[in-house]
């Protein structure tokens, strides 16, 4: 393993180690009650610092294009702001370890600015879309991704907060909404991508960091203060792990310079909207439940349209390939006939009297090594075709 690959792996290991330590502490705290609960505020700032260090190392050492540099600089600012915001929260928590304090306004402002910076970085990423047909398919895939992801996030993340019996603080609701918007926007952004300076998997990992917001909401709703401790110690630091993994993917992208598009979107979107749909079937339907049902129907219709378009595109490509092969075979045979005719005339003049048979043409193509390939270089077939003609005329 080269030095260029050890550095990002080291950062991934550091952020994962902090998250694992937070999870281990949470288990011990749950079983034994060791230490104050405010210790849970430490893993996220530390993990965010590790992710920021990974981005900084990437910017210093990896060969990046100017658009990639701009994107990762914004992500460096985002990780720094989020880490600073939750550091302020940790300081407020350790001032009085007997209670879990609400998020101070400066902490919420810093963390919110970090989420907005990450969203702006995702918006500015170029994706290599050139033609109008590609742009139309891009918007179709984006609609599917946004509805599929947004339905899950709304049902499990935002709707429980908005309908909770105990009102939540404005800071928490705003940060949760920004986190969910980052997740939906990130997944929507990379639903259809043809290229660009940022690795596809890196963009998906960055967008997936917002999915932790839905887990945070569920734990806070159903777990109370214990759920808040789990959020701070385990769930939220995992977002920094995803960020470090995204940096590693970008490092490999810079070294390899290639990526592969996925065809998983229709199946993942249908599966995503089916989960909340199954959850709302029993019991009385609320307004949020009706929105989930409507979104499920709409996603299914859009996926049907997308698959129909994909089938038509595949059929057109196959027809173009067959037509191209037929034209290629005709052109090669024409070139070979033009090349062999002077040799045939020479044998007739010498008294040989035998003409080249048509049945020898196809074996000659295979023998000359030009069967199923583009025509040889040159205006009249090239040296390989001439050699084949000489052999066939003997």
């Amino acid at each position: 393993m080269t030095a260029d690959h050890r550095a990002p792996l080291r950062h991934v290991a550091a952020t994962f180690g902090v998250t694992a330590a937070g999870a281990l502490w949470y288990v011990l705290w749950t079983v034994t009650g060791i230490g104050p609960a405010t210790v849970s505020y430490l893993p996220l700032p530390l993990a965010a610092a590790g992710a920021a260090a990974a981005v900084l190392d990437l910017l210093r050492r990896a060969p990046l294009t100017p658009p990639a540099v701009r994107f990762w600089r914004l992500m460096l600012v985002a990780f720094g702001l989020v880490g600073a915001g939750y550091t302020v929260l940790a300081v407020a928590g350790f001032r009085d370890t007997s209670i879990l304090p609400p998020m101070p306004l400066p902490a919420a402002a810093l963390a919110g600015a970090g989420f907005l910076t990450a969203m702006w970085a995702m918006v500015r990423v170029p994706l290599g879309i050139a033609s109008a047909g590609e742009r139309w398919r891009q918007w179709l895939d984006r609609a599917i991704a946004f509805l599929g992801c947004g339905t899950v996030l709304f049902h499990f993340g935002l709707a429980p907060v908005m309908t909770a019996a105990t009102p939540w603080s404005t800071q928490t609701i705003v940060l949760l909404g920004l986190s969910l918007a980052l997740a939906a926007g990130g997944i929507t952004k990379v639903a259809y991508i043809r290229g660009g300076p940022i690795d596809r998997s890196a963009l998906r990992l960055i967008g997936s960091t917002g999915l932790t917001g839905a887990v945070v909401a569920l734990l806070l709703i159903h777990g109370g203060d214990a759920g808040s401790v789990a959020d701070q110690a385990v769930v939220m630091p995992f977002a920094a792990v995803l960020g470090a993994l995204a940096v590693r993917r970008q490092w490999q992208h810079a070294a390899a310079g290639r990526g592969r598009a996925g065809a998983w979107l229709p199946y993942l979107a249908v599966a995503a909207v089916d989960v909340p749909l199954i959850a709302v079937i029993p019991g009385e339907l609320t307004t949020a439940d009706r929105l989930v049902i409507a979104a499920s129907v709409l996603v299914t219709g859009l996926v049907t349209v997308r698959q129909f378009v994909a089938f038509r595109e595949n059929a057109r490509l196959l027809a173009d390939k067959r037509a191209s092969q037929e034209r290629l075979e005709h052109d090669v045979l024409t070139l070979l006939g033009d090349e062999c005719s002077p040799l045939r005339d020479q044998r007739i003049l010498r008294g040989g009297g035998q003409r080249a048979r048509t049945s020898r043409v196809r074996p000659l193509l295979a023998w000359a090594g030009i069967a199923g390939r583009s025509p040889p270089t040159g205006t009249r077939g090239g040296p390989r075709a001439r050699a084949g003609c000489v052999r066939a005329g003997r």
Side-chain angles (χ1 to χ4, degrees), residues 8-9 11-13 15-16 51 54 72 199 201-202 205-206 238-252:
L9 184 59
H11 297 309
V12 172
T15 54
F16 183 80
W72 288 110
D199 183 79
S201 298
L205 287 168
I206 293 295
F238 190 73
V241 176
L242 295 177
L245 287 173
V247 173
R248 178 167 172 78
R249 286 295 308 175
Q250 180 62 36
W251 204 295
Q252 294 171 344

Coordinates of all heavy atoms in Angstrom, one line a residue, residues 8-9 11-13 15-16 51 54 72 199 201-202 205-206 238-252:
P8 N -5.5 8.5 4.1 CA -6.9 8.5 4.2 C -7.4 7.3 5.1 O -8.4 7.4 5.8 CB -7.5 8.4 2.8 CG -6.4 7.9 2.0 CD -5.1 8.4 2.6
L9 N -6.7 6.2 5.0 CA -7.1 5.0 5.8 C -6.9 5.3 7.3 O -7.7 4.9 8.2 CB -6.3 3.8 5.4 CG -6.7 2.5 6.1 CD1 -8.2 2.1 5.9 CD2 -5.8 1.4 5.6
H11 N -7.1 8.3 8.7 CA -8.2 9.2 9.2 C -9.5 8.4 9.4 O -10.3 8.7 10.3 CB -8.4 10.3 8.2 CG -7.2 11.2 8.0 ND1 -6.6 11.8 9.1 CD2 -6.5 11.6 6.9 CE1 -5.6 12.5 8.7 NE2 -5.5 12.4 7.4
V12 N -9.8 7.5 8.5 CA -11.0 6.6 8.6 C -10.9 5.8 9.9 O -11.9 5.7 10.7 CB -11.2 5.7 7.4 CG1 -12.3 4.7 7.7 CG2 -11.5 6.5 6.2
A13 N -9.7 5.3 10.2 CA -9.6 4.5 11.4 C -9.7 5.4 12.7 O -10.3 5.0 13.7 CB -8.2 3.8 11.4
T15 N -11.5 8.3 13.0 CA -12.9 8.6 13.2 C -13.8 7.4 13.7 O -14.6 7.6 14.6 CB -13.5 9.2 12.0 OG1 -13.3 8.3 10.9 CG2 -12.9 10.6 11.6
F16 N -13.5 6.3 13.1 CA -14.2 5.1 13.5 C -13.8 4.7 14.9 O -14.7 4.2 15.7 CB -13.9 3.9 12.6 CG -14.6 2.7 12.9 CD1 -16.0 2.5 12.5 CD2 -14.0 1.6 13.6 CE1 -16.7 1.4 12.8 CE2 -14.8 0.5 13.9 CZ -16.1 0.4 13.5
A51 N -12.6 14.0 10.6 CA -13.1 14.1 9.3 C -12.5 15.4 8.6 O -12.1 15.4 7.4 CB -14.6 14.2 9.2
A54 N -9.0 14.7 7.6 CA -8.9 13.9 6.4 C -9.1 14.8 5.1 O -8.4 14.7 4.1 CB -10.0 12.9 6.4
W72 N -14.3 20.4 -1.8 CA -13.7 19.9 -0.5 C -13.3 21.0 0.4 O -13.3 20.8 1.6 CB -12.6 18.9 -0.8 CG -13.0 17.6 -1.4 CD1 -12.9 17.2 -2.7 CD2 -13.8 16.6 -0.7 NE1 -13.5 15.9 -2.8 CE2 -14.0 15.6 -1.6 CE3 -14.2 16.5 0.6 CZ2 -14.7 14.4 -1.3 CZ3 -14.9 15.3 1.0 CH2 -15.2 14.3 0.0
D199 N -16.1 11.9 -6.8 CA -16.4 10.5 -6.9 C -17.9 10.3 -6.6 O -18.4 10.9 -5.6 CB -15.6 9.7 -6.0 CG -15.8 8.2 -6.1 OD1 -15.4 7.6 -7.1 OD2 -16.5 7.7 -5.2
S201 N -19.5 7.7 -5.3 CA -19.7 7.2 -3.9 C -19.4 8.2 -2.8 O -20.0 8.2 -1.8 CB -18.8 5.9 -3.7 OG -19.1 4.9 -4.7
A202 N -18.4 9.1 -3.1 CA -18.1 10.1 -2.1 C -19.3 11.0 -1.9 O -19.7 11.4 -0.8 CB -16.9 10.9 -2.5
L205 N -22.0 9.2 0.0 CA -21.6 9.2 1.5 C -21.9 10.5 2.2 O -22.4 10.5 3.3 CB -20.2 8.7 1.6 CG -19.9 7.2 1.3 CD1 -18.4 7.0 1.2 CD2 -20.5 6.3 2.3
I206 N -21.5 11.6 1.5 CA -21.7 12.9 2.1 C -23.2 13.2 2.3 O -23.7 13.7 3.3 CB -21.1 14.0 1.2 CG1 -19.5 13.9 1.3 CG2 -21.5 15.4 1.7 CD1 -18.9 14.1 2.6
F238 N -21.2 8.9 13.9 CA -21.1 8.1 12.7 C -21.2 8.9 11.4 O -20.7 8.5 10.4 CB -22.3 7.1 12.7 CG -22.2 6.0 11.7 CD1 -21.2 5.0 11.8 CD2 -23.0 6.0 10.6 CE1 -21.1 4.0 10.8 CE2 -22.9 5.0 9.6 CZ -21.9 4.0 9.7
A239 N -21.8 10.1 11.4 CA -21.8 11.0 10.3 C -20.4 11.4 9.9 O -20.0 11.5 8.7 CB -22.7 12.2 10.5
A240 N -19.5 11.6 10.9 CA -18.1 11.9 10.6 C -17.4 10.8 10.0 O -16.5 10.9 9.1 CB -17.4 12.4 11.9
V241 N -17.7 9.5 10.4 CA -17.1 8.3 9.8 C -17.5 8.3 8.3 O -16.6 8.0 7.4 CB -17.6 7.1 10.5 CG1 -17.1 5.8 9.8 CG2 -17.2 7.1 12.0
L242 N -18.8 8.6 8.0 CA -19.2 8.6 6.6 C -18.4 9.7 5.8 O -18.0 9.5 4.6 CB -20.7 8.9 6.5 CG -21.6 7.8 7.0 CD1 -23.0 8.2 6.9 CD2 -21.4 6.5 6.3
G243 N -18.1 10.8 6.5 CA -17.4 11.9 5.8 C -15.9 11.4 5.5 O -15.4 11.7 4.4
A244 N -15.3 10.8 6.5 CA -13.9 10.3 6.3 C -13.9 9.2 5.2 O -13.0 9.1 4.4 CB -13.4 9.7 7.6
L245 N -14.9 8.3 5.1 CA -15.0 7.4 4.0 C -15.2 8.0 2.7 O -14.6 7.6 1.7 CB -16.2 6.4 4.3 CG -16.0 5.4 5.4 CD1 -17.3 4.6 5.7 CD2 -14.9 4.4 5.1
A246 N -15.9 9.1 2.6 CA -16.1 9.9 1.4 C -14.8 10.5 0.9 O -14.4 10.4 -0.3 CB -17.1 11.0 1.6
V247 N -14.0 11.0 1.9 CA -12.6 11.5 1.5 C -11.8 10.4 1.0 O -11.1 10.5 0.0 CB -12.0 12.1 2.8 CG1 -10.5 12.5 2.5 CG2 -12.8 13.3 3.2
R248 N -11.8 9.2 1.5 CA -11.0 8.1 1.0 C -11.5 7.7 -0.4 O -10.7 7.4 -1.3 CB -11.1 6.9 2.0 CG -10.4 5.6 1.5 CD -10.2 4.6 2.5 NE -9.7 3.4 2.0 CZ -8.4 3.2 1.7 NH1 -7.5 4.1 1.9 NH2 -8.0 2.0 1.3
R249 N -12.8 7.7 -0.6 CA -13.3 7.4 -2.0 C -12.8 8.4 -3.0 O -12.4 8.1 -4.1 CB -14.8 7.3 -2.0 CG -15.4 6.1 -1.3 CD -15.0 4.8 -2.1 NE -15.4 5.0 -3.5 CZ -15.1 4.0 -4.4 NH1 -14.4 3.0 -4.0 NH2 -15.5 4.2 -5.7
Q250 N -12.8 9.7 -2.6 CA -12.3 10.7 -3.5 C -10.8 10.6 -3.8 O -10.4 10.8 -4.9 CB -12.6 12.1 -2.9 CG -12.1 13.3 -3.7 CD -12.8 13.3 -5.1 OE1 -14.0 13.0 -5.2 NE2 -12.1 13.7 -6.1
W251 N -10.1 10.2 -2.7 CA -8.6 9.9 -2.9 C -8.4 8.8 -4.0 O -7.6 9.0 -4.9 CB -8.0 9.5 -1.6 CG -6.5 9.8 -1.5 CD1 -5.6 9.2 -2.3 CD2 -5.9 10.7 -0.6 NE1 -4.3 9.7 -1.9 CE2 -4.5 10.6 -0.9 CE3 -6.3 11.5 0.4 CZ2 -3.6 11.3 -0.2 CZ3 -5.4 12.3 1.1 CH2 -4.0 12.2 0.8
Q252 N -9.2 7.8 -3.9 CA -9.1 6.7 -4.9 C -9.5 7.1 -6.3 O -9.0 6.7 -7.3 CB -9.9 5.5 -4.4 CG -9.3 4.8 -3.1 CD -10.2 3.8 -2.6 OE1 -11.4 3.7 -2.9 NE2 -9.7 3.0 -1.7

